[in-house]
């Protein structure tokens, strides 16, 4: 039986066709002040919801009494309250595997770019300042053999560790909710406390999900523990780092630099002090932004939703307690 699905992100034609073959689809390319009321109205008789980058909270869900499944085109679930969804009997699904390698590529690109001052030196050339053989004022720092600390050894953290250990001969420290024997065996990663990691690593890469526990986990106290001249990389969520404290640590020279794909507020304000610093590489949240990966995420999310609405969801389920076991 065809049901109603509300799609709130533009997707490729083949992904839209997947959904339309099974259900009736109402599509919004994005949600803004002009169409939010129409979006909420369409939810009143919708069974499924699919999209990304929009806060779906009680103010939205209260208008969706028939909603049974939400599929987010992302691995992050910070736009949702899974506990509230479970109380409402709504299953939440995400796309955890599709973007792992692409996001890890972005993280390592930031490690290299900050260490070797790639963006700063490219601007140096474009500005016509390369008029003689370079000196120490243009030097960067090595990556090969330096110690990498990974905060959060999930899928993406493990993929970053693989690149670091096998590709660049970097000793890997990691902090996680629990030890990861696979990473330890494959990459020689060493489990340690966050304090030890911060005090020992030349590069610190943040890959934890944003939760109430991780919000603001890297603040002034943690930044003060980092080795002088260390570099901080964030490919997770901006709110995990206290941005004011980070700015201070960069301005006073305690940190060599920062590579940031995410910010507390996105898009980041053009007048942010972070954007004035030559030792900050700032990207517009491009962690998974390749054509192949974004398309793969959309296909995965569409299949997740179709499976959930047909009662066959077995993978990528965030709150499995909602699912009713099938009769045996």
């Amino acid at each position: 039986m065809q049901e109603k699905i509300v799609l709130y992100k533009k997707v490729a034609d083949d992904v839209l066709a997947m959904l339309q073959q099974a259900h009736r689809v109402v599509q919004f390319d994005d949600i803004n002040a002009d169409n939010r009321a129409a979006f909420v109205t369409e939810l009143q008789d919708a069974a499924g919801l699919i999209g990304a980058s929009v806060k779906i909270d009680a103010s939205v869900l209260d208008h969706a009494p028939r909603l049974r499944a939400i599929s987010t085109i992302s691995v992050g679930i910070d736009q949702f309250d899974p506990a509230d969804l479970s109380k409402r009997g709504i299953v939440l699904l995400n796309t955890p595997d599709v973007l792992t390698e692409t996001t890890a590529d972005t993280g390592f690109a930031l490690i290299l770019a900050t260490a070797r001052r790639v963006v700063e030196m490219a601007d140096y050339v474009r500005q016509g300042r390369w008029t003689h053989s370079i000196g120490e004022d243009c030097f960067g720092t090595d990556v090969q053999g330096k110690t990498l600390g990974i905060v959060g050894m999930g899928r993406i953290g493990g993929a970053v560790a693989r690149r670091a250990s096998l590709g660049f001969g970097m000793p890997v420290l990691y902090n996680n909710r629990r030890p990861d024997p696979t990473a330890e065996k494959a990459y020689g990663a060493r489990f340690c406390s966050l304090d030890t990691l911060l005090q020992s690593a030349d590069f610190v890469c943040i890959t934890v999900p944003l939760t109430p526990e991780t919000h603001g986990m890297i603040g002034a106290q943690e930044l003060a523990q980092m080795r002088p001249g260390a570099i901080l990389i964030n490919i997770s969520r901006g709110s995990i780092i206290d941005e004011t404290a980070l700015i201070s640590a960069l301005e006073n020279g305690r940190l060599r630099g920062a590579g940031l794909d995410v910010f507390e507020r996105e898009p980041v304000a053009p007048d942010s002090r972070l954007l004035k610093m030559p030792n900050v590489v700032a990207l517009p949240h491009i962690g998974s932004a390749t054509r192949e990966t974004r398309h793969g995420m959309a296909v995965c999310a569409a299949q997740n939703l179709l499976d959930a609405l047909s009662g066959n969801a077995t993978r990528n389920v965030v709150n499995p307690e909602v699912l009713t076991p099938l009769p045996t």
Side-chain angles (χ1 to χ4, degrees), residues 22 34 41 63 66 73 139 143 191 224 230 245 268 304 312 316:
D34 294 332
T41 298
H63 296 274
R66 296 179 58 186
I73 309 175
F139 288 179
V143 174
F191 180 76
V268 64
N304 286 344
N312 295 312
N316 304 330

Side-chain angles (χ1 to χ4, degrees), residues 26-68:
V26 175
Q27 183 177 11
F28 295 83
D29 288 348
D30 61 13
I31 304 301
N32 52 52
D34 294 332
N35 66 9
R36 185 175 178 83
F39 169 66
V40 171
T41 298
E42 293 291 353
L43 287 176
Q44 292 178 0
D45 59 347
L49 182 61
I50 178 171
S53 305
V54 173
K55 190 74 172 178
I56 305 296
D57 56 16
S59 68
V60 174
L61 297 172
D62 287 346
H63 296 274
R66 296 179 58 186
L67 196 64
R68 304 203 320 272

Side-chain angles (χ1 to χ4, degrees), residues 32-289:
N32 52 52
D34 294 332
N35 66 9
R36 185 175 178 83
F39 169 66
V40 171
T41 298
E42 293 291 353
L43 287 176
Q44 292 178 0
D45 59 347
L49 182 61
I50 178 171
S53 305
V54 173
K55 190 74 172 178
I56 305 296
D57 56 16
S59 68
V60 174
L61 297 172
D62 287 346
H63 296 274
R66 296 179 58 186
L67 196 64
R68 304 203 320 272
I70 300 176
S71 184
T72 179
I73 309 175
S74 67
V75 63
I77 57 171
D78 45 291
Q79 301 286 2
F80 308 91
D81 180 348
D84 181 51
L85 291 176
S86 294
K87 289 178 183 177
R88 297 171 185 266
I90 300 171
V91 62
L92 176 64
L93 309 105
N94 66 346
T95 62
D97 295 310
V98 186
L99 50 70
T100 297
E101 298 300 333
T102 300
T103 306
D105 282 350
T106 302
F108 224 88
L110 284 169
I111 290 173
L112 291 168
T114 50
R116 299 306 304 270
R117 301 168 62 185
V118 170
V119 176
E120 183 186 357
M121 290 298 100
D123 288 342
Y124 180 88
V125 175
R126 289 193 178 94
Q127 293 162 4
R129 297 165 59 196
W130 186 26
T131 58
H132 52 78
S133 181
I134 64 166
E136 289 193 12
D137 59 325
C138 293
F139 288 179
T141 187
D142 284 335
V143 174
Q144 180 77 23
K146 295 292 181 67
T147 298
L148 173 64
I150 299 176
V151 183
M153 188 61 83
R155 294 176 179 87
I156 294 171
V160 173
R162 171 160 41 86
R163 287 158 173 75
S165 175
L166 304 184
F168 287 81
M170 301 177 79
V172 175
L173 304 176
Y174 75 99
N175 178 257
N176 203 38
R177 287 178 295 179
R178 61 185 66 88
D180 185 332
T182 299
E184 293 177 5
K185 181 178 180 180
Y187 317 126
R190 183 164 67 87
F191 180 76
C192 63
S193 68
L194 180 59
D195 289 349
T196 297
L197 184 152
L198 295 172
Q199 293 162 12
S200 306
D202 299 296
F203 299 85
V204 174
C205 185
I206 310 297
T207 64
V208 293
L210 178 61
T211 66
E213 293 73 30
T214 62
H215 187 282
M217 72 178 294
I218 304 297
Q221 180 177 338
E222 289 73 26
L223 293 169
Q225 293 186 70
M226 290 179 65
R227 299 178 66 172
I231 290 173
L232 181 64
I233 306 295
N234 191 5
I235 54 173
S236 181
R237 289 292 186 268
S239 296
I240 290 168
I241 298 175
D242 180 335
E243 227 164 74
T244 301
L246 175 60
I247 290 169
S248 177
L250 289 164
E251 289 183 338
N252 67 27
R254 176 155 191 93
L255 298 185
R256 181 184 295 273
L260 308 172
D261 188 39
V262 289
F263 298 85
E264 285 185 344
R265 287 189 175 185
E266 296 181 0
V268 64
D271 61 353
S272 168
R273 284 152 64 191
L274 288 168
L275 304 186
K276 312 299 181 185
M277 301 180 193
N279 57 339
V280 172
V281 178
L283 300 178
H285 204 151
I286 65 165
S288 63

